[in-house]
Amino acid sequence: MHQLFIKSNKFTYPFIIILFALFFVACKNNNENNDSSTINTITPSIPALSYQIVAVYPHDTASFTEGLEFHNGFLYESTGDPDYAGRSKLSKTNVNTGKDVQQITLAPAFFGEGITMLNGKIYQLTYKEQKCFVYDANTFKKLNEFSYEGEGWGMTNDGHYLIMDNGHNELIYRDPETFKIVKTLPITGVPKDYAGHEVYINELEYVDGNIFANLYTMDFDQIVKIDPNTGKVIGTLNLNGLLERYAPPAETAKRDVLNGIAFDSSNHTFYITGKYWPKLFAIRIQ
C-alpha cells in the first residue's frame, strides 16, 4: 500500500520523542557492530529475528515499490503511483545497477501492487481497481486478467496457490487458473504501533514454508514472519535505521515505508527495499 506515508503526530509528545531517540541509538549501535538486530521493543513477546547484510545495491528512487520478486538472477518489481499519472509499472531489473532491462507501464487508471511468479507467469495485483493482470514471465505479454472484490496489496505463492492480502490481516489463497478463493486465513499477533494503532501486513514472500510480510503504517521499518498453518506471527525483524546508515539525508528525504521482499533460494538471501528508497539490501535472516 499505497498513499504516501506521513509519520503520526504522536511524535510530538516528548516521551515518545525520547523513546524514539533511545530506540534508534540502541538499534544503530547494535547494527554497526555486527549488521544484525535482535531488538524488539514493539512486540517483546514475539521472538526477534536477526540479520546480516550481504551487499548493498542501488535502487531507483522513482519506484514506489509495491511488489518484489527474484528469479534467475534478476529482480522483478511492481510499482504504484500515488498520483495515478501512468507511472505504475512491471519491470525486470539488473540487481547490480538498479536499472530496468525490461518493463511495461500500466494505464493511468491502474495502481500497480503485489506480484508473484508461478508456472512461467507473473501475476500483478492492482490497488482499488479490482484487477489482477497475468503476464508471460519472459515476454511480459499480457495473457489474462481476473476480477476480484476488495483491494489488492501484497502477493506471493506456495507453489500451488496464489496468496494475497487486501488491507486486512488475513491471507487469501486463490486458484491460479481461476483466481477463485480457496481459503482465507486470519493473521494473529501483528504488532500495533506505539500509539496502539492497528498495522497491516503488506508485501509478501513465501520462504521455506513460512511467509514474510512487510507492515504498513508502522512507526518503524519492520517485517514479520508468519506461520501459514496457524496464521500466527512467529518472528519480527526490526530494520529501523537500516537505510539511513547507508544513504545520506539528501538521498532519503523522499523515502517512504519499507516495502519489498524478494528471496534468492540459491544462496538463501533476501532482497529488501522500500518506496522511493535509493538502496536495495541483500541480507540473510537468522
Side-chain angles (χ1 to χ4, degrees), residues 164-280:
M164 64 172 283
D165 59 83
N166 62 357
H168 302 281
N169 283 329
E170 66 178 8
L171 297 173
I172 303 167
Y173 287 69
R174 293 183 180 270
D175 185 308
E177 297 301 320
T178 64
F179 216 64
K180 291 183 177 179
I181 295 176
V182 176
K183 67 175 182 178
T184 59
L185 178 68
I187 305 305
T188 59
V190 178
K192 292 180 170 60
D193 67 15
Y194 281 133
H197 299 140
E198 294 288 339
V199 297
Y200 305 99
I201 57 173
N202 196 1
E203 220 271 297
L204 307 172
E205 186 76 2
Y206 187 93
V207 180
D208 296 336
N210 295 292
I211 293 176
F212 291 79
N214 285 122
L215 298 181
Y216 184 70
T217 61
M218 186 107 199
D219 293 327
F220 301 108
D221 296 324
Q222 189 171 115
I223 289 172
V224 293
K225 181 180 180 181
I226 300 167
D227 181 346
N229 296 308
T230 64
K232 291 183 62 175
V233 172
I234 57 174
T236 60
L237 180 64
N238 194 325
L239 296 172
N240 183 53
L242 173 63
L243 177 61
E244 285 69 21
R245 293 202 313 277
Y246 289 88
E251 293 183 12
T252 60
K254 191 180 177 182
R255 69 98 86 191
D256 209 282
V257 295
L258 175 79
N259 200 49
I261 313 172
F263 183 69
D264 179 1
S265 60
S266 68
N267 57 19
H268 216 78
T269 298
F270 289 80
Y271 291 96
I272 305 293
T273 192
K275 304 172 189 290
Y276 300 143
W277 280 31
K279 302 295 182 184
L280 170 81

Side-chain angles (χ1 to χ4, degrees), residues 156-167:
T156 187
N157 74 84
D158 62 3
H160 302 285
Y161 299 114
L162 305 174
I163 307 170
M164 64 172 283
D165 59 83
N166 62 357

Side-chain angles (χ1 to χ4, degrees), residues 8-284:
S8 170
N9 60 11
K10 58 184 169 292
F11 283 100
T12 59
Y13 295 101
F15 77 92
I16 293 297
I17 294 175
I18 293 170
L19 181 60
F20 175 80
L22 291 174
F23 177 89
F24 181 80
V25 170
C27 183
K28 183 175 186 293
N29 289 341
N30 183 64
N31 278 280
E32 284 181 341
N33 289 333
N34 57 16
D35 279 335
S36 67
S37 175
T38 56
I39 297 173
N40 186 3
T41 59
I42 300 174
T43 52
S45 63
I46 300 173
L49 306 173
S50 61
Y51 67 95
Q52 179 182 16
I53 296 175
V54 177
V56 182
Y57 302 103
H59 180 251
D60 184 1
T61 54
S63 290
F64 197 73
T65 307
E66 296 291 356
L68 203 64
E69 189 90 357
F70 183 87
H71 181 69
N72 287 346
F74 291 91
L75 278 173
Y76 293 77
E77 185 169 8
S78 172
T79 69
D81 179 9
D83 298 322
Y84 279 70
R87 292 190 295 266
S88 288
K89 67 177 182 179
L90 171 67
S91 63
K92 177 181 179 180
T93 304
N94 183 306
V95 175
N96 294 307
T97 66
K99 302 295 185 182
D100 293 345
V101 297
Q102 184 180 358
Q103 75 167 61
I104 55 172
T105 302
L106 276 64
F110 295 99
F111 186 115
E113 280 285 349
I115 57 171
T116 193
M117 190 179 297
L118 180 63
N119 299 328
K121 300 174 184 176
I122 297 175
Y123 296 78
Q124 182 183 35
L125 296 174
T126 55
Y127 177 24
K128 292 184 176 181
E129 298 74 56
Q130 301 185 334
K131 293 290 184 182
C132 175
F133 300 121
V134 186
Y135 310 95
D136 180 276
N138 293 318
T139 65
F140 284 10
K141 178 183 178 182
K142 183 180 171 183
L143 303 175
N144 201 355
E145 68 178 57
F146 297 110
S147 297
Y148 56 91
E149 295 183 359
E151 296 180 359
W153 286 34
M155 184 159 55
T156 187
N157 74 84
D158 62 3
H160 302 285
Y161 299 114
L162 305 174
I163 307 170
M164 64 172 283
D165 59 83
N166 62 357
H168 302 281
N169 283 329
E170 66 178 8
L171 297 173
I172 303 167
Y173 287 69
R174 293 183 180 270
D175 185 308
E177 297 301 320
T178 64
F179 216 64
K180 291 183 177 179
I181 295 176
V182 176
K183 67 175 182 178
T184 59
L185 178 68
I187 305 305
T188 59
V190 178
K192 292 180 170 60
D193 67 15
Y194 281 133
H197 299 140
E198 294 288 339
V199 297
Y200 305 99
I201 57 173
N202 196 1
E203 220 271 297
L204 307 172
E205 186 76 2
Y206 187 93
V207 180
D208 296 336
N210 295 292
I211 293 176
F212 291 79
N214 285 122
L215 298 181
Y216 184 70
T217 61
M218 186 107 199
D219 293 327
F220 301 108
D221 296 324
Q222 189 171 115
I223 289 172
V224 293
K225 181 180 180 181
I226 300 167
D227 181 346
N229 296 308
T230 64
K232 291 183 62 175
V233 172
I234 57 174
T236 60
L237 180 64
N238 194 325
L239 296 172
N240 183 53
L242 173 63
L243 177 61
E244 285 69 21
R245 293 202 313 277
Y246 289 88
E251 293 183 12
T252 60
K254 191 180 177 182
R255 69 98 86 191
D256 209 282
V257 295
L258 175 79
N259 200 49
I261 313 172
F263 183 69
D264 179 1
S265 60
S266 68
N267 57 19
H268 216 78
T269 298
F270 289 80
Y271 291 96
I272 305 293
T273 192
K275 304 172 189 290
Y276 300 143
W277 280 31
K279 302 295 182 184
L280 170 81
F281 297 91
I283 68 173
R284 291 199 177 99

